Amino acid sequence: MRSDNTKKGDARAPNRSLLKAMGVTDSEMKKPFIAVVNSWTEFIPGHIHLDKVAEAVKAGIRNAGGVPFEFHTIGVCDGIAMGHEGMKYSLPSREAIEDTIEIMLQGQQMDGMVMVTSCDKITPGHLMAAGRVDIPAIVVTGGPMLPGFVDDKYTDLVSVFEGVGACRSGAVSSEKLKQLEDLCCCGAGSCAGMFTANTMACMTEALGLSLPGCATAHAIDAKKMRIAKESGERIVAMISEGLTARKIVTDKSFENAIRVDLAVGGSTNTTLHLPAIAHEFGLELPLEKFNELSRTTPHLIGLRPGGENFMIDFERAGGVPAIMKRLVTKLNLDEMTVTGKTVGVNIEEFVIVNPKTNERVITTIEEPLHEEGGIAVLKGNLAPDGAVVKQAAVDEKMLRHTGPARVFDSEEEAMETILKGDIKSGDVVVIRYEGPKGGPGMREMLSPTSAIAGMGLIDSVALITDGRFSGGTRGPCIGHISPEAYEGGPIGLIQEDDIIEIDMPERRIELKVSEEELEKRRAVFKPVEKEATGYLARYRKMVSSASKGAIRE
C-alpha cells in the first residue's frame, strides 16, 4: 500500500506517533488509508449538504475495512459570481482545485480516494486530479436541486435570470420577480436543469468514475446517501484490485461521455472541461471530436434550458444509465468502470423502474428530438480555431442568422445596453476581451443571454463572445471564439455594423468583411489590456486557448 510509506517499519515510528495523535490505532495502521476529498462549503447550495454526504462515504469506508481521512477543497458558485468581477475567478479555480488535491494526496501518500464534489469547475478540477495522480478513485457528485414552483409550474435559477429582463421590459412585475427570487431555488443541490454542474455529474458517470445512478440522484434523496456509502465500500475493494483512474478512463471512455453529453443536450462548458480532463489522463481530445460525434449522436431528451424537463424528470426516467441504454449501439461497451464491471455489463444490469416516464421523457434513436447532438463546433474567418454553440437550445429559425454587429469590450457594457432596450431584432451582440487571457478568466455570461431572453429577443438576436456561457443559456449564443481578441483573433477586428453570418447546420461563422480590409485593421490593432493582479495575472501568463480546453501550459 502507498500509505506504508508513512506508517510501516521502525523508521516510521515518528510518523505513526503523529497519526496516533489524531486517534489512529495500531489495528488501523494495517488498513488502507483513504482520502475523502470534500468540496463542502457554505458558499454554494450545491455543496451545502456535502458534509453529510462525506459522513456517509466515511461510514462506507469503515464498513469495508478502510480508514478515512477527510480534507476540503475550494469552490466558487457560478450563479452567485455571475455578472461581476467574481466570475473571473471561476474557471481559474479549476486548476487551483486540482493542484491542492495533488498536494494532499502525494504529501500524505493516500492509497485511494473518494471525491465528494458538485458544481461547475469543482467537479472538473477533481476529475483532473484523479487523472494526474492515478490512484484508485471514485466520485460521488452531490446531486441536483429540486425545481422551484411558481405560477403552478416548475421553475429554476434561469427563471430568475430571465425574469430580470422580463421585468425590465415590463413583461412581469417587480412583485413577480420577487416571487421568482424567493421560490425558484428551493434548497440544497446543483441547479435543477441540465446546466454545467449536472452536465459534469453526468459526464463523470458516463466516464465510469461514479456508481450508476449517482449523477441524477437528488441532493435531498436518501438514494444519494446510499450511493455515497456504497462508494465508500467500493473504494476499499478497488484498492485491493489495483483499479486506478487511468485503468478506467481511456479515449473510448471519453467518446462514451461525449455521446451522452450530446444526447442530453449538455452545457457547452464540456468542450472546455473534457479536453482538460483528458490532458491530465495523458490523452488528447481535440475540439473537432465533438463535431464528429455530434453528426452521428441524436439528441434524446429535452432538458432545461433546451427543453421543458427538469433533472427530477430525468432521474425518474432512469438517468444516465437510461440514456446509455438508448445509445447502446453507439457506445464502447468494453470500457471498465468503478463498479469493476464494463459499461456493457452495467447497461445490461440496469432496470427501468418507471417505464412510462422513461418513454415519455427520453426519446429513441429512431425518433429523436433532433437528429444531431446538442453541441456544434463552428469555424470560419471569425473563429479559425473554433467556436461552440448549444444547438439543441436554439430555435430552428435561428440556426441560420445574418445581422449587424453590436460590439462591446466587456460583459458590463453589453448588459447596460441590453437592459436599456437598445438591442434590436436581427442584431448580433459581440462581447469580446472576455476570453481566458483577455478577461482574464473567461467569464460565463448568463446575465446578458437571460436578459435577451427575458426581453423577448431570444428568437431574433444572436450573441457571440470569446468568453463562455452558463449551461443555463439558451438561444443562438456562440462562445469560446478562438483565437480570442486579446491574442489578436478576428473577433478583435469587428467594427460596429459589420455583417456577421452564422450557419449552424453548415458549422460556419463568418465576418462579411474583405480580407484586404481585415489586413488594414490588423495593421493598427492593439488589444485592450484589462488590469489583472495576483492569481489572475499568473493565470493570464499560463492559460491556453479555449480551443485547447483553457488548460494551463
Side-chain angles (χ1 to χ4, degrees), residues 158 161-167 169 171 418 446-461 463 472-477:
V158 173
F161 271 100
E162 294 189 0
V164 173
C167 183
S169 69
I418 292 167
L446 182 57
S447 294
T449 61
S450 296
I452 287 171
M455 298 177 83
L457 296 170
I458 199 66
D459 295 332
S460 61
V461 169
L463 194 154
T473 291
R474 64 186 178 97
C477 300

Side-chain angles (χ1 to χ4, degrees), residues 288-304:
E288 190 55 37
K289 177 64 75 171
F290 288 83
N291 252 355
E292 175 190 326
L293 295 177
S294 185
R295 294 292 195 186
T296 58
T297 306
H299 177 215
L300 298 179
I301 180 170
L303 290 163
R304 293 274 290 168

Side-chain angles (χ1 to χ4, degrees), residues 361-544:
V361 173
I362 306 174
T363 62
T364 64
I365 60 173
E366 292 78 21
E367 297 182 12
L369 290 179
H370 300 100
E371 294 290 338
E372 293 187 359
I375 290 175
V377 177
L378 313 184
K379 289 190 175 182
N381 71 342
L382 183 47
D385 294 339
V388 182
V389 63
K390 184 190 285 193
Q391 62 177 351
V394 179
D395 187 279
E396 187 172 346
K397 68 183 180 184
M398 288 298 288
L399 292 174
R400 291 183 171 91
H401 178 75
T402 301
R406 301 295 308 279
V407 184
F408 305 95
D409 288 344
S410 72
E411 177 186 359
E412 287 83 359
E413 289 180 18
M415 191 65 176
E416 181 180 355
T417 301
I418 292 167
L419 291 179
K420 284 195 300 187
D422 289 345
I423 299 299
K424 307 301 180 186
S425 178
D427 286 346
V428 178
V429 176
V430 178
I431 306 177
R432 61 192 182 190
Y433 296 104
E434 293 288 2
K437 291 181 182 290
M442 201 179 187
R443 287 193 285 182
E444 275 185 356
M445 282 172 265
L446 182 57
S447 294
T449 61
S450 296
I452 287 171
M455 298 177 83
L457 296 170
I458 199 66
D459 295 332
S460 61
V461 169
L463 194 154
I464 70 171
T465 181
D466 53 10
R468 60 194 179 90
F469 295 116
S470 162
T473 291
R474 64 186 178 97
C477 300
I478 300 164
H480 309 192
I481 288 182
S482 302
E484 61 177 292
Y486 184 84
E487 293 196 295
I491 189 173
L493 306 179
I494 301 173
Q495 294 181 2
E496 195 79 2
D497 292 325
D498 282 349
I499 299 300
I500 293 172
E501 182 180 66
I502 298 163
D503 190 329
M504 296 180 202
E506 295 299 323
R507 305 294 199 262
R508 288 191 302 106
I509 181 167
E510 299 283 343
L511 178 61
K512 308 305 284 185
V513 175
S514 70
E515 187 56 37
E516 292 78 12
E517 174 61 23
L518 290 177
E519 282 302 321
K520 291 178 184 178
R521 296 181 189 181
R522 284 191 189 98
V524 296
F525 173 76
K526 185 177 180 180
V528 172
E529 183 84 24
K530 296 180 180 178
E531 182 180 1
T533 59
Y535 185 67
L536 290 182
R538 295 197 302 274
Y539 182 79
R540 171 179 278 168
K541 291 178 181 178
M542 295 185 290
V543 68
S544 76

Side-chain angles (χ1 to χ4, degrees), residues 320-390:
V320 172
I323 283 286
M324 296 182 83
K325 205 170 186 75
R326 289 282 205 278
L327 294 172
V328 67
T329 59
K330 295 180 177 291
L331 298 178
N332 301 301
L333 300 178
D334 293 332
E335 299 310 292
M336 183 53 62
T337 73
V338 291
T339 65
K341 304 173 184 177
T342 64
V343 169
V345 171
N346 287 344
I347 293 173
E348 187 177 347
E349 292 180 350
F350 171 69
V351 176
I352 296 172
V353 177
N354 302 305
K356 291 183 179 179
T357 302
N358 176 272
E359 291 176 11
R360 176 180 62 82
V361 173
I362 306 174
T363 62
T364 64
I365 60 173
E366 292 78 21
E367 297 182 12
L369 290 179
H370 300 100
E371 294 290 338
E372 293 187 359
I375 290 175
V377 177
L378 313 184
K379 289 190 175 182
N381 71 342
L382 183 47
D385 294 339
V388 182
V389 63
K390 184 190 285 193

Side-chain angles (χ1 to χ4, degrees), residues 35 45 59 76 78-79 94 111 128-129 191 208 259 282 358 403 444 456-457 469 490 498 539:
V76 174
D78 280 19
R94 187 182 68 183
D111 297 309
M128 290 163 72
C191 299
R259 286 200 187 274
N358 176 272
E444 275 185 356
L457 296 170
F469 295 116
D498 282 349
Y539 182 79

